[in-house]
Amino acid sequence: MRRLRPLLICAALLATTVPASAAAAPPSSGGAGERVKGLDRVIPAPASVTPADGHFTLDEDTPIRLGGTGRARAEARGPAGQLAALLRPSTGYALPVTAAHGEDGLRLRIVDELPAPPGGAKRDGLGAEGYRLTVDENSADLSATTRAGLLNGIQTLRQLLPDRAESRTAQDGPWRIAAGTVVDEPRYAYRGAHLDVSRHFFGVGTVKKYIDRIAMYKLNKLHLHLSDDQGWRIAVKSWPRLTEHGGKTEVGGGPGGYYTQAQYRDIVRYAAARNVTVVPEIDMPGHTNAALSSYAELNCDGVAPPPYTGIEVGFSSLCVGKEITYDFVDDVVREIARLTPGPYLHIGGDEAHSTDKKDYAAFMARAQRTVAKYGKTVVGWHQLTGAGPAEGAIAQYWGTEGKEKEVVEAAKNGTRLILSPANRAYLDMKYNKDTPYGLDWAGHVETRQSYDWDPGSYFKGVPEEAVHGVEAALWTERIESIEQIDYMAFPRLPGIAELGWSPADTHDWADYRERLAQQAPRWDALGITYWRSPQVPWPDA
């Protein structure tokens, strides 16, 4: 039985929470009669919700209080500042961040320990990303054992406020939060979103917008696909022509572009402030035409091919028999590892059709050793499982059936899996035949298909503990702007986020589609363009 079902029944008896039957009602424009959104109406679904009578009202005198002392208080200040910055424009309130003690207001605290949610993990306390939110008539108290936990709790708190809280201009109140308690933590440690900046280049501002969108749904990894046949997107000082030449193209012959190392560091810092770790990908030995075009010596025949602006795959390969290839890999991995504080470095490895199978295995073995040499954990596409994954390596699955024997055997032998099945989690797949963007090689992927699967049991024969997490992938052969990114990501991205965060027993399409529908006014306020799936009962439909 789903953990939230009894709570939904209880909530229907409380005057201050939204009954399930009212979930699709159009949002009020404000006023004393406006319903207060129930604690169980957020995405991703929390691990445990206990509703209570009453509500907390945010007003012009509300402070944001920092609990604790010393380092714990200092760690809470950043999340408190983000909460204030989020709410000041829409409410018009000062919302001062203060260390002064008080029992009222929005209170953020980092504590030594918190109990795990009922029925959750069989241990005493919440994990590093967990939080506890307790709301009564005097305060909304958010506690966590880490800064990451506070940031996750803030994402829940913002969804409990009226949707107009997302506006960048002053709106009318009241600003109410339903009373009760949320105790929450993620199912998986890895909850990712992938963005291909190689097929079409997207500047720093667009990447930051996408970081904001994924953080809102508690995704904690941004996988940046930084190199491919069509363009090289990160400056490497020891091989400058990678960007001077290889960074000036993209699909369709556009101007391309690349990130300087300073810009990349800026993206990494911006993401980290929002509990998002950047996972850089340098695809190898295939998907390398931009590099091969930039340096002739990386080709077996010593001849640089012309830049490529099409979308075919599998035709390019580094020359695995040349020692300079491994000097190149070492230099690139060293520089990017130095720029990236997160633990992961993705080396691609898919669709290397122009590389002999034996050569592929030998190359991937050396590439994995190089990643380990610079202190990073190897991530590769699931073809890595056919080449001998290194100890601790992670394979990212992008197939459509969940049956590949090599993947099963690798998982049984200790290789962890990130699941991105293309017919479920590839956000560039068209919704239907009329979708104006994206591709359809994995079929049409509507909102329910993207949500209605269980990562823990998806891959036949793979032990559940081998699943490291999930990732929503967005390739950009046919996507060129933030508006198009949004259109393909929403409404599917929140569903993948819920699969990564929420307990398996909260999984229920009928309930989820109602909660998803309630997100639409929030997206409107944020300027997010989204696909109005006929599978979802949108408020104004």
Side-chain angles (χ1 to χ4, degrees), residues 106-128:
L106 301 172
R107 301 193 298 169
L108 276 62
R109 298 181 297 154
I110 291 181
V111 297
D112 291 336
E113 59 182 31
L114 285 171
K122 292 180 172 59
R123 49 184 168 75
D124 294 333
L126 287 174

Side-chain angles (χ1 to χ4, degrees), residues 364-494:
M364 294 303 278
R366 289 191 67 170
Q368 289 181 88
R369 289 196 295 272
T370 301
V371 172
K373 172 183 173 182
Y374 293 109
K376 301 300 180 183
T377 296
V378 169
V379 186
W381 298 108
H382 72 262
Q383 285 76 13
L384 176 64
T385 61
E391 184 177 356
I394 300 171
Q396 184 170 0
Y397 180 75
W398 60 274
T400 59
E401 296 183 353
K403 296 179 180 179
E404 288 82 349
K405 292 181 180 179
E406 290 177 334
V407 178
V408 173
E409 289 305 310
K412 288 180 177 179
N413 291 326
T415 298
R416 293 169 291 170
L417 302 181
I418 297 167
L419 298 182
S420 301
N423 57 348
R424 303 281 188 172
Y426 267 33
L427 303 182
D428 55 300
M429 290 298 105
K430 292 174 176 284
Y431 296 101
N432 58 33
K433 64 181 179 61
D434 298 319
T435 304
Y437 318 117
L439 301 171
D440 60 4
W441 60 264
H444 297 147
V445 182
E446 246 284 24
T447 310
R448 180 170 185 171
Q449 183 171 328
S450 188
Y451 171 81
D452 215 3
W453 60 287
D454 177 17
S457 60
Y458 169 80
F459 216 108
K460 301 168 183 63
V462 167
E464 185 170 356
E465 59 270 20
V467 178
H468 190 51
V470 297
E471 185 172 288
L474 185 53
W475 301 95
T476 63
E477 290 95 335
R478 294 288 184 256
I479 297 169
E480 303 181 39
S481 67
I482 185 62
E483 291 78 16
Q484 294 174 11
I485 288 172
D486 284 346
Y487 186 86
M488 300 304 285
F490 292 90
R492 292 180 292 194
L493 179 76

